[in-house]
Amino acid sequence: MIQLLAFYLFAALVVASGLLVILARNPVHSVLWLILAFFNAAGLMILIGAEFIAMLLVIVYVGAVAVLFLFVVMMLDIDFATLRAGLVKNFPLGLSIALILLAELVLGLGANSAGVLHLGVADGNAAPLAGAPNIEAIGAVLYSRYLFLFEAAGVVLLVAMIGAIVLTHRERGGIKPQNISKQVARRPEEATVNTQPEVGKGVSL
């Protein structure tokens, strides 16, 4: 009974938070509602015994992605009038895409209920370890059967990180580059000089 009530509570909060992410006028409020949706989704994962996915939602999505979004949105000088104008301008396109996705979803559910789709059946090759927690079972499968795919994903992420760094530090006109060797070799007398000016004397140029 408690699990059923918790499921309906978490599910209702996830749906409500997702709607508020879209309907909120302030982008900062949208990110905060997104964080609440992630927390409630993590609660749903715990209810079904997937504590590893719940931990990923809290640590990766809430602790890194959503907080990064929040910092970026708060530091940007956003013109809300321009955002609203863009929303009104692109509303027909967004509505058409939403209707297409809804039609695909209804078509897929109808085909599944009619027996047209034949879903795969588990053959037992990737069965979890007997008596092992969820995290140990995922680790055993990830570092045995999917080891090379896991390493390939790491290489792809490394290449993407290096590419982002290269694109960020490319040569751009009008920007003075940083000379690290000159900064390290600077002597104390070349730095800022502390003075004690007299009262009412002013600043001497």
Side-chain angles (χ1 to χ4, degrees):
M1 185 63 181
I2 297 179
Q3 292 182 351
L4 185 61
L5 292 177
F7 169 77
Y8 282 115
L9 176 62
F10 288 140
L13 288 176
V14 166
V15 174
S17 301
L19 291 176
L20 289 172
V21 169
I22 303 173
L23 299 177
R25 294 181 177 272
N26 194 332
V28 178
H29 296 166
S30 297
V31 178
L32 294 177
W33 287 117
L34 181 63
I35 292 175
L36 181 61
F38 284 150
F39 271 115
N40 289 280
L44 290 176
M45 294 298 106
I46 292 177
L47 288 179
I48 63 175
E51 64 272 5
F52 180 73
I53 300 179
M55 183 182 65
L56 287 181
L57 280 172
V58 175
I59 295 178
V60 177
Y61 285 93
V62 176
V65 177
V67 175
L68 178 62
F69 286 169
L70 183 62
F71 286 162
V72 170
V73 169
M74 293 178 65
M75 288 187 296
L76 290 178
D77 187 13
I78 300 176
D79 189 1
F80 295 102
T82 306
L83 288 179
R84 295 189 184 95
L87 177 62
V88 175
K89 179 181 178 181
N90 298 321
F91 182 76
L93 177 61
L95 183 60
S96 60
I97 294 176
L99 292 177
I100 292 173
L101 294 177
L102 180 62
E104 291 179 352
L105 182 61
V106 172
L107 181 62
L109 292 176
N112 186 24
S113 61
V116 179
L117 297 179
H118 299 284
L119 301 179
V121 181
D123 55 359
N125 293 330
L129 300 176
N134 182 258
I135 299 177
E136 292 184 7
I138 292 177
V141 175
L142 187 64
Y143 290 102
S144 59
R145 184 175 180 181
Y146 301 102
L147 177 62
F148 294 107
L149 295 176
F150 182 73
E151 293 180 348
V155 171
V156 171
L157 292 176
L158 178 62
V159 172
M161 182 181 65
I162 295 175
I165 294 174
V166 170
L167 291 176
T168 304
H169 290 277
R170 67 183 186 273
E171 294 292 335
R172 289 174 291 181
I175 298 178
K176 187 177 181 180
Q178 183 180 10
N179 193 340
I180 300 178
S181 60
K182 183 178 179 181
Q183 295 176 359
V184 174
R186 188 178 61 175
R187 293 175 294 178
E189 54 269 16
E190 297 176 354
T192 305
V193 179
N194 294 326
T195 59
Q196 295 181 355
E198 300 178 358
V199 178
K201 186 177 182 180
V203 179
S204 58
L205 300 177

